[in-house]
């Protein structure tokens, strides 16, 4: 066995050495046989030209090369581009750069070129490969055959690194050298805006929108890449234009809040006045409660209200008080109490409470009510129009069958959506409410004019006619300034039609306009932020809101310099009147509705008190004779509804009037408002003391309004600390 192996080894070693060109000849012979056996000596052609096998070959190559992640990303982008070209170019004239450009879609780079025109479709990469130099084709026939699939797909996807060796890539590069490559170009060089990269075709007819409309279907716009095509976006020649698509948003992206355009009507807090210099204080009563609702909305929203949002008299008057009821002959009665000031031991609080008479519901005159409803686009929020509908539906149950309701809405324009309808036909009224929707601008002045016209047509002798405006106060069309609206509403007030305002929502609440309308329309202003508040205003207090018992009610207090050195009216800054206005019956003032209460609070300081804020006068002043023991003198002036002449009621303030739990709770609310305003008059008195005072004098609270106020104080205390 060993000898045989040795003989074989020697025989192999004696074999002649291979000739150097034997491998080349063998390869040439193999290629010659391959060409002969194929039955054709024509140049190589792409398998895509084969009518039957090409589809299957294409599918196999697609699934083979599009399985890697880079390939998937590249082919997705290429597919989006091809879809955009196929769908958009036949129907739209898209331009980037100047309007007149050569008729072509070009992507040029050194050594490469492609042209894609309307009449000449782009050549396939495999066809372009046939145009390589014949010498290169003969030298690389075998490599070209092995890499034909890679050449076909080189423009749209990356080659899988694990499927192509360095030698194969070099062979492909040689085979494609000098060839035309479609849909692939190197990174563009830095330069100006890509005006050289054009997307354009021949000018289209004047009506190219229909094919695109078919492609879009019911959609309003089609986004391709970074371009959004819209039916409303037109170019100058009538064809569809383009606009930049909005930036994509992720689920985690927080939408910034809309700009806050709220406007509030308020003045600087009343200062301390020296009695000897200015002994008389005059103001119009106010039964509005809107400020308290705004304060509650802010605190429950997690932030403190701004000082201009706080009107202390509206916070105090938000609560019902058990004041002395008027006699049968009186329209209202007054109650005065005096107590030490909680936040300043050196002063006293003088509280003036007015209680209106409350007639029986059956004794009410027939009511003509016009709902004037803001349906502008700004009302399209859950706490605006939807809450408004629910609120007004609560009110319908309080109307009597013979009362009449009409409905006017305003947005871009105003219109009547419900003719005067008996309250007994609740279904018709509810149907009109349910059909309301928000949209458009706010033609508030036009809506007011139409509402007054409708109200005028509903009037009859012995009936009460009212307009109830429900809005967020955003008047942006027509007469929108408070002065113009004030004059218009004041003129209409003389006809006997009064106007009340209900505010809804936050963000664009125009409190200044609401106050101007309510005060000059002889009505009330309330802010509704919850359905519970809607019930309070439109159900519990409906009679007082719609049926006045006294018009132009004015209060005047003359303080005695012998007993009061200084005084300060807490609140009522926007209701101040001149001293001479008190006796002028032509000067408008506030109204008291049936069963309504009004509260006003003064802080007074006695002469010689350590709490005096002003130095005494050098020459002093003599006290009024015969009044040394009085603090002051209260005068009330009012008119019966529709009357031209006022009635005067006078009451001395002795200083011995005792306080009650009602007036002490009112003092707690006055302190609450001053703390929110950051008043300089409360000293070291703070949230803890205000809460204790309110809790100790909560009294009967059947509806929970007072305990709600205590909880708001606690919330404000926490927010103030933070």
């Amino acid at each position: 066995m060993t000898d045989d192996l040795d003989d074989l080894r020697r025989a192999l070693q004696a074999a002649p050495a291979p000739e150097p060109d034997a491998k080349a000849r063998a390869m040439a012979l193999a290629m010659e046989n391959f060409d002969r056996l194929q039955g054709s000596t024509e140049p190589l052609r792409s398998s895509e030209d084969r009518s039957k096998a090409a589809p299957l070959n294409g599918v196999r190559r697609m699934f083979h090369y599009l399985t890697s992640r880079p390939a998937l990303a590249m082919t997705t982008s290429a597919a989006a581009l091809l879809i955009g070209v196929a769908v958009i170019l036949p129907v739209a004239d898209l331009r980037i750069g100047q309007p007149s450009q050569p008729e072509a879609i070009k992507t040029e780079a050194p050594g490469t070129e492609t042209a894609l025109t309307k009449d000449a479709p782009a050549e396939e990469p495999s066809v372009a490969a046939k145009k390589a130099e014949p010498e290169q084709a003969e030298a690389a026939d075998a490599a070209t055959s092995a890499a034909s699939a890679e050449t076909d797909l080189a423009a749209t996807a990356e080659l899988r690194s694990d499927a192509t060796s360095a030698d194969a890539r070099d062979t492909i590069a040689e085979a494609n050298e000098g060839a035309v490559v479609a849909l692939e170009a190197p990174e563009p060089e830095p330069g100006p805006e890509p005006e050289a990269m054009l997307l354009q075709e021949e000018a289209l007819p004047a009506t190219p929108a229909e094919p695109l409309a078919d492609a879009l279907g019911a959609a309003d716009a089609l986004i391709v890449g970074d371009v959004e095509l819209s039916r409303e976006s037109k170019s100058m020649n009538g064809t569809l234009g383009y606009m930049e698509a909005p930036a994509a948003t992720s689920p985690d992206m927080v939408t910034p809040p809309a700009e806050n355009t709220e406007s509030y009507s308020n003045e600087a807090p009343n200062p301390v006045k020296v009695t000897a210099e200015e002994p008389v204080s005059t103001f119009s009563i106010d039964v509005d409660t809107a400020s308290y609702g705004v304060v509650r909305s802010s605190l429950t929203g997690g932030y403190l209200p701004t000082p201009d949002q706080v009107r202390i008299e509206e916070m105090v008057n938000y609560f019902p008080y058990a004041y002395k009821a008027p006699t049968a002959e009186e329209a209202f009665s007054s109650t005065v109490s005096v107590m030490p000031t909680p936040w300043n031991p050196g002063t006293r609080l003088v509280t003036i409470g007015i209680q209106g008479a409350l007639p029986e519901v059956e004794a009410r005159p027939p009511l003509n009510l016009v709902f004037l409803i803001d349906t502008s686009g700004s009302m399209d929020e859950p706490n605006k129009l939807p809450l408004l509908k629910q609120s007004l539906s609560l009110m319908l149950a309080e109307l009597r069958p013979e009362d009449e309701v009409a409905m006017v809405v305003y947005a871009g324009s105003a219109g009547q959506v419900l003719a005067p309808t008996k309250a007994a036909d609740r279904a018709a009224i509810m149907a009109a409410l349910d059909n309301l929707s928000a949209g458009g601008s706010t033609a508030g002045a036009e809506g007011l004019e139409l509402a007054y016209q409708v109200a005028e047509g509903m009037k009859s002798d012995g009936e009460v006619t009212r307009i109830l405006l429900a809005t967020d106060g955003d008047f942006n069309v027509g007469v929108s300034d408070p002065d113009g609206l004030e004059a218009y509403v004041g003129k209409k007030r003389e006809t006997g039609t009064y106007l009340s305002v209900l505010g809804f929502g936050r963000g664009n609440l125009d409190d200044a306009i609401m106050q101007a309308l309510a005060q000059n329309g002889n009505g009330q202003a309330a802010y509704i932020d919850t359905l519970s508040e809607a019930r309070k205003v439109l159900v519990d207090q409906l009679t007082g809101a719609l049926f006045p018992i006294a018009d132009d009610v004015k209060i005047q207090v003359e303080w005695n310099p012998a007993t009061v050195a200084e005084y300060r009216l807490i609140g009522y800054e926007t209701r101040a009147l001149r001293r001479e206005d008190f006796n002028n019956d032509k000067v408008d003032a506030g109204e008291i509705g049936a069963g309504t209460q009004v509260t006003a609070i003064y802080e007074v300081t006695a002469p010689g008190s350590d709490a005096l804020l002003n130095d005494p006068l050098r020459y002093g002043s003599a006290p009024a004779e015969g009044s040394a023991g009085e603090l002051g003198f209260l005068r009330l002036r009012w008119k019966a509804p529709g009357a031209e002449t006022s009635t005067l009621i006078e009451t001395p303030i002795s200083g011995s009037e005792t306080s009650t739990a009602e007036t002490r709770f009112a003092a707690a609310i006055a302190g609450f408002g001053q703390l929110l305003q950051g008043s300089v008059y409360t000293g070291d008195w703070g949230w803890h003391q205000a809460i204790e005072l309110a809790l100790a004098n909560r009294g009967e609270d059947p509806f929970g309004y007072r305990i709600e106020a205590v909880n708001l104080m606690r919330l404000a205390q926490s927010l103030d600390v933070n």
Side-chain angles (χ1 to χ4, degrees):
M1 178 66 71
T2 302
D3 295 339
D4 294 338
L5 291 176
D6 292 339
D7 294 340
L8 178 60
R9 184 181 299 106
R10 286 192 294 271
L12 291 174
Q13 292 175 350
E19 298 181 5
D21 59 343
K23 182 177 180 180
R25 290 198 306 272
M27 180 64 70
L29 179 61
M31 294 301 298
E32 180 181 353
N33 292 334
F34 176 79
D35 291 339
R36 185 178 68 257
L37 293 175
Q38 291 296 314
S40 173
T41 59
E42 294 293 327
L44 295 175
R45 64 190 180 93
S46 171
S47 62
E48 303 297 335
D49 296 335
R50 299 172 60 193
S51 60
K52 295 182 179 180
L56 294 177
N57 292 339
V59 170
R60 282 192 294 269
R61 285 196 303 272
M62 178 181 70
F63 281 101
H64 178 70
Y65 290 104
L66 299 185
T67 55
S68 68
R69 292 183 179 178
L72 286 173
M74 292 292 293
T75 52
T76 301
S77 300
L81 178 61
L82 292 175
I83 292 174
V85 172
V87 173
I88 300 169
L89 288 181
V91 297
D93 181 14
L94 303 182
R95 295 176 174 86
I96 301 178
Q98 301 299 326
S100 58
Q101 299 290 354
E103 182 187 332
I105 297 177
K106 291 186 177 182
T107 303
E108 298 182 356
T112 63
E113 178 180 331
T114 181
L116 184 60
T117 65
K118 182 177 181 181
D119 299 325
E123 298 184 31
E124 301 177 8
S126 59
V127 177
K130 295 199 309 181
K131 295 183 179 180
E133 294 295 334
E135 295 83 2
Q136 294 172 330
E138 290 180 4
D141 277 342
T144 304
S145 176
S148 61
E150 287 84 346
T151 305
D152 292 340
L153 295 174
T156 59
E158 291 182 351
L159 296 177
R160 296 177 60 181
S161 58
D162 58 344
T164 307
S165 65
D167 292 339
R169 287 196 296 271
D170 293 340
T171 305
I172 295 170
E174 292 176 4
N176 288 304
E177 184 178 357
V180 177
V181 181
L183 298 178
E184 183 174 289
E187 292 291 331
E189 297 181 1
E193 292 294 324
E195 295 184 0
M197 302 177 64
L198 307 176
L199 289 175
Q200 181 177 339
E201 66 176 21
E202 292 182 353
L204 296 176
T207 58
E210 288 302 319
L212 183 58
D214 295 338
L216 293 173
D220 292 331
L222 175 67
I223 297 178
V224 179
D226 290 331
V227 175
E228 179 185 41
L229 302 179
S230 171
R231 291 191 179 93
E232 298 179 359
S233 179
K234 305 273 184 186
S235 65
M236 294 182 63
N237 64 355
T239 63
L240 285 175
Y242 64 92
M243 59 185 177
E244 184 178 355
T249 58
S250 67
D252 297 331
M253 184 177 295
V254 178
T255 303
E259 180 184 0
N260 190 316
T261 60
E262 294 185 350
S263 174
Y264 290 89
S265 175
N266 210 344
E267 301 289 340
N270 289 321
V272 172
K273 295 185 178 182
V274 177
T275 307
E277 297 173 358
E278 192 174 351
V280 179
S281 170
T282 308
F283 63 96
S284 165
I285 64 99
D286 186 9
V287 293
D288 295 343
T289 60
S291 180
Y292 184 85
V294 171
V295 167
R296 178 179 55 206
S297 173
S298 298
L299 292 175
T300 55
Y303 57 93
L304 291 169
T306 57
D308 63 326
Q309 295 173 351
V310 180
R311 288 189 292 272
I312 296 176
E313 73 277 8
E314 295 187 13
M315 297 183 65
V316 172
N317 287 325
Y318 178 84
F319 302 91
Y321 300 98
Y323 294 146
K324 180 183 66 175
T327 64
E329 294 79 17
E330 295 177 324
F332 57 86
S333 64
S334 60
T335 300
V336 178
S337 69
V338 180
M339 60 177 284
T341 303
W343 50 85
N344 192 345
T347 65
R348 289 185 289 178
L349 293 184
V350 178
T351 302
I352 301 171
I354 298 176
Q355 174 67 59
L358 180 61
E360 297 294 334
V361 175
E362 292 75 12
R364 288 182 351 195
L367 174 65
N368 301 316
L369 184 61
V370 179
F371 290 155
L372 176 56
I373 301 175
D374 183 353
T375 57
S376 62
S378 63
M379 293 290 289
D380 191 16
E381 296 181 20
N383 62 343
K384 293 186 179 182
L385 187 58
L387 179 59
L388 184 156
K389 292 181 181 181
Q390 293 176 314
S391 302
L392 295 183
S393 66
L394 294 178
M395 182 182 186
L396 296 180
E398 300 301 308
L399 301 180
R400 295 175 302 178
E402 61 270 23
D403 294 336
E404 281 194 323
V405 175
M407 199 176 301
V408 173
V409 299
Y410 64 92
S413 59
Q416 182 176 350
V417 297
L418 179 68
T421 303
K422 293 293 184 182
D425 192 357
R426 181 182 174 88
I429 300 174
M430 287 300 301
L433 271 177
D434 292 339
N435 289 333
L436 298 181
S437 60
S441 57
T442 315
E446 185 178 348
L448 275 175
E449 182 179 2
L450 180 57
Y452 276 112
Q453 292 177 1
V454 173
E456 193 66 27
M458 299 172 69
K459 284 183 179 179
S460 294
D461 291 339
E463 296 181 348
V464 173
T465 304
R466 296 288 179 267
I467 296 175
L468 190 60
L469 168 60
T471 178
D472 60 2
D474 185 16
F475 284 53
N476 54 36
V477 175
V479 182
S480 58
D481 64 287
D483 292 338
L485 289 170
E486 178 179 335
Y488 177 77
V489 173
K491 181 180 179 181
K492 292 297 183 180
R493 177 189 68 221
E494 303 301 326
T495 67
T497 300
Y498 292 176
L499 172 68
S500 292
V501 184
L502 303 178
F504 290 83
R506 297 297 299 273
N508 59 341
L509 186 68
D510 198 330
D511 176 77
I513 289 182
M514 290 175 56
Q515 290 295 316
L517 293 176
Q519 291 183 12
N520 291 277
N522 275 13
Q524 298 181 12
Y527 174 77
I528 295 179
D529 56 339
T530 65
L531 200 57
S532 296
E533 182 66 12
R535 175 174 176 81
K536 177 181 183 292
V537 173
L538 299 176
V539 177
D540 300 339
Q541 301 174 354
L542 176 66
T543 301
L546 299 179
F547 298 94
I549 57 175
D551 289 348
D552 294 340
V553 182
K554 306 170 187 176
I555 295 179
Q556 186 174 82
V557 180
E558 180 184 353
W559 297 104
N560 181 3
T563 55
V564 176
E566 294 174 344
Y567 69 91
R568 176 173 67 98
L569 175 61
I570 302 176
Y572 290 94
E573 287 84 2
T574 63
R575 291 286 194 165
L577 297 175
R578 296 173 300 182
R579 180 176 176 178
E580 61 268 27
D581 291 339
F582 184 75
N583 294 323
N584 188 348
D585 286 343
K586 293 187 179 298
V587 175
D588 180 57
E591 286 66 45
I592 293 180
T596 302
Q597 296 108 11
V598 180
T599 303
I601 302 175
Y602 283 94
E603 181 178 0
V604 300
T605 309
S609 171
D610 293 338
L612 287 174
L613 299 179
N614 295 280
D615 293 331
L617 293 176
R618 176 180 177 85
Y619 302 105
S621 60
E625 294 182 3
S627 59
E630 295 177 355
L631 289 181
F633 199 69
L634 171 64
R635 297 181 179 94
L636 297 175
R637 190 175 288 278
W638 60 281
K639 297 176 186 175
E644 297 292 334
T645 305
S646 63
T647 300
L648 177 63
I649 301 176
E650 296 179 324
T651 304
I653 303 174
S654 67
S656 60
E657 295 86 353
T658 59
S659 64
T660 64
E662 301 297 297
T663 56
R664 288 192 292 270
F665 182 84
I669 299 301
F672 179 21
Q674 291 179 95
L675 291 174
L676 290 174
Q677 287 181 334
S679 174
V680 298
Y681 300 116
T682 55
D684 296 332
W685 193 78
W687 295 110
H688 182 69
Q689 291 84 358
I691 293 170
E692 282 187 345
L693 182 61
L695 279 175
N697 297 279
R698 177 185 171 190
E700 293 186 7
D701 188 22
F703 301 107
Y705 302 146
R706 296 188 178 187
I707 193 60
E708 178 191 57
V710 172
N711 290 329
L712 290 178
M713 291 181 191
R714 290 171 173 152
L715 185 55
Q717 181 182 29
S718 300
L719 294 172
D720 195 20
V721 170
N722 296 329

